[in-house]
Amino acid sequence: MGKYKIAAIGGDGIGPEVVESGLKCLDAVAKYIGFELLVERFPWGSDYYRAHGQMMPQNALDILSGFDAIYFGAVGDNEIPDDVTLWGLRLVICQGLGLYANVRPAVMLPGVRSPLREELSNKINWVVVRENSEGEYAGVGGRSHRGFAEEIAIDASVFSRVGVERLQRFAFDLARTRSEKHLTCVTKSNAQRFGMVLWDEIFVQLAQEYPDVRTDKVLVDAATARMVLNPSSLDVIVASNLHGDILSDLAAALVGSLGIAASGNLDPSGNNPSMFEPVHGSAPDIVGAGIANPIAAIWSGAMMCAHLGEKAASSRLMAGLVEVAKANEVLTRDLGGAGSTEDVTKATIDALERDDLDLEGFNRIGS
Ligand code: NAI
Ligand code: MG
């Protein structure tokens, strides 16, 4: 029987609520399939910061290195600046553990309403592959003349050949496994003349190694319009850190809610534990109300199972989510329902424990 060590970091706001929901579903599917998740919870985040002056301990990366995967909620607090919370935990983990590929699927679940007309929305079956270690979020820059009229602030975008190539190669490899075999390069090389031009050049070079993958290129501003107006023209989308961040929130909104958008921060080499988390933040406006949508966290858990090699568990979790969405009886407020986090969790567990569950339910979407 497989045994996997999971580091669970709920973080702030609704983070712990959705992580606990996801862990219940993961526990249920592990029992059903027959493997074990050894979960250790870490109380890192803004309360930890208030007590210790840092979001997580100094040796956090060493601690995390001993796990097979990390399951994360969100950080973000009303009192502590967002750059302190995000850099103090999530970005340090992604950079420090080499989790350079951020994979964010956006798929239209049955029973969920999109703000788009149905004939457009039912075509959405995308994966945004976002660069996750450098680019606009490299953390390079500074400020001077603080408080004076001549004050300046600089954030430098960093694009290295190694960083761009490994990420784009990952996106090509992923595109190759999908039925559409189509990869769109998002860029802004008309305005950003250095990093984004390198980004485009590497894309063209790599495309020659992947003759079976259809490619095209789109400027990031045009990409937003295309996602809304012509969703079926996209399949896998590869984008820089900032562009991927923005486009994946748009993708989430188009498939119904940020509350269903899942992600994996991967070290494709497998040398370090990868981290799985919902795309959304700590949602301070609904914290404690019991209405946070746990689907994004559960879906992220399914991605974690697939990454650990537990493909049957991953399919079963996704099939369970499809059943819950399709039934449309317990969905949370962000999806137009009146259900609670607990209702969705329970319905998902009930569905995934059914022997007659339609395991292909998720794979059929969009095909
Ligand atoms: P947010 O994702 O927390 O919330 C945006 C809107 O979506 C809110 O109205 C919220 O109620 C709703 N929402 C988000 N997740 C939901 C869920 N699971 N179920 C139902 N509704 C949901 O983004 P926002 O408001 O921009 O940021 C709030 C805090 O979260 C900030 O401090 C920000 O820095 C942080 N943040 C952290 C992230 C992370 O840790 N990975 C990612 C994004 C934001
Ligand atoms: Mg974001």
Side-chain angles (χ1 to χ4, degrees):
M1 184 166 78
K3 283 189 184 174
Y4 307 95
K5 288 178 69 184
I6 307 297
I9 309 170
D12 301 334
I14 64 166
E17 300 174 27
V18 296
V19 159
E20 288 308 318
S21 161
L23 287 173
K24 284 185 192 149
C25 296
L26 283 162
D27 191 50
V29 82
K31 286 207 173 77
Y32 188 95
I33 301 282
F35 62 94
E36 212 177 328
L37 294 173
L38 308 167
V39 178
E40 189 172 341
R41 290 170 173 79
F42 293 94
W44 301 341
S46 293
D47 285 339
Y48 190 92
Y49 183 90
R50 276 183 274 273
H52 302 276
Q54 48 191 2
M55 294 291 288
M56 54 184 190
Q58 213 61 44
N59 62 343
L61 295 183
D62 287 340
I63 295 172
L64 294 174
S65 297
F67 286 82
D68 296 306
I70 305 163
Y71 191 49
F72 174 56
V75 285
D77 186 82
N78 289 333
E79 285 175 14
I80 306 170
D82 284 344
D83 63 312
V84 173
T85 55
L86 207 59
W87 271 105
L89 201 145
R90 186 183 175 279
L91 293 178
V92 174
I93 294 174
C94 289
Q95 281 193 350
L97 295 180
L99 310 183
Y100 65 82
N102 186 196
V103 178
R104 297 180 154 190
V107 182
M108 201 64 231
L109 293 179
V112 170
R113 282 215 352 237
S114 165
L116 292 181
R117 294 194 307 278
E118 205 178 314
E119 70 263 29
L120 292 174
S121 65
N122 65 17
K123 300 283 177 0
I124 301 180
N125 187 347
W126 303 326
V127 184
V128 177
V129 177
R130 166 191 176 194
E131 204 292 317
N132 213 26
S133 65
E134 52 175 36
E136 306 86 344
Y137 300 176
V140 175
R143 285 175 71 171
S144 74
H145 304 83
R146 275 184 190 248
F148 292 96
E150 60 271 44
E151 179 167 5
I152 59 165
I154 296 172
D155 277 290
S157 296
V158 175
F159 290 86
S160 67
R161 181 170 284 278
V162 167
V164 173
E165 188 173 328
R166 66 185 181 179
L167 185 272
Q168 291 189 355
R169 192 175 286 286
F170 176 87
F172 271 103
D173 286 334
L174 176 67
R176 182 171 258 182
T177 65
R178 292 169 58 91
S179 59
E180 292 285 318
K181 298 190 189 341
H182 178 201
L183 179 62
T184 299
C185 174
V186 169
T187 183
K188 192 64 195 174
S189 51
N190 55 344
Q192 295 181 293
R193 296 186 295 169
F194 308 109
M196 286 270 97
V197 172
L198 176 67
W199 172 269
D200 289 0
E201 284 172 8
I202 293 172
F203 188 80
V204 170
Q205 285 163 12
L206 284 180
Q208 290 167 4
E209 292 180 39
Y210 294 84
D212 51 325
V213 175
R214 192 158 54 85
T215 59
D216 63 349
K217 183 175 96 169
V218 61
L219 296 172
V220 63
D221 35 359
T224 59
R226 191 162 140 194
M227 286 167 75
V228 172
L229 298 173
N230 193 4
S232 64
S233 72
L234 296 162
D235 177 27
V236 181
I237 299 163
V238 66
S240 70
N241 214 329
L242 172 67
H243 296 165
D245 190 5
I246 296 170
L247 294 183
S248 50
D249 267 33
L250 173 58
L254 293 176
V255 295
S257 170
L258 258 179
I260 60 175
S263 81
N265 304 280
L266 309 183
D267 170 8
S269 76
N271 291 334
N272 291 296
S274 292
M275 178 164 79
F276 299 84
E277 55 162 346
V279 168
H280 64 74
S282 58
D285 51 333
I286 57 165
V287 64
I291 56 165
N293 189 346
I295 291 181
I298 299 169
W299 190 327
S300 305
M303 293 173 74
M304 181 167 79
C305 288
H307 185 77
L308 292 169
E310 295 292 346
K311 301 275 190 302
S314 180
S315 305
R316 190 160 275 278
L317 276 167
M318 289 313 301
L321 285 181
V322 166
E323 288 300 311
V324 172
K326 202 162 62 182
N328 201 341
E329 282 163 0
V330 295
L331 296 179
T332 44
R333 196 176 68 186
D334 56 308
L335 294 177
S340 65
T341 311
E342 204 182 325
D343 294 335
V344 178
T345 312
K346 195 174 167 309
T348 307
I349 293 172
D350 287 347
L352 68 84
E353 287 178 341
R354 274 188 6 220
D355 293 334
D356 64 349
L357 180 65
D358 173 13
L359 289 172
E360 285 302 309
F362 181 71
N363 295 338
R364 265 201 308 277
I365 295 174
S367 60

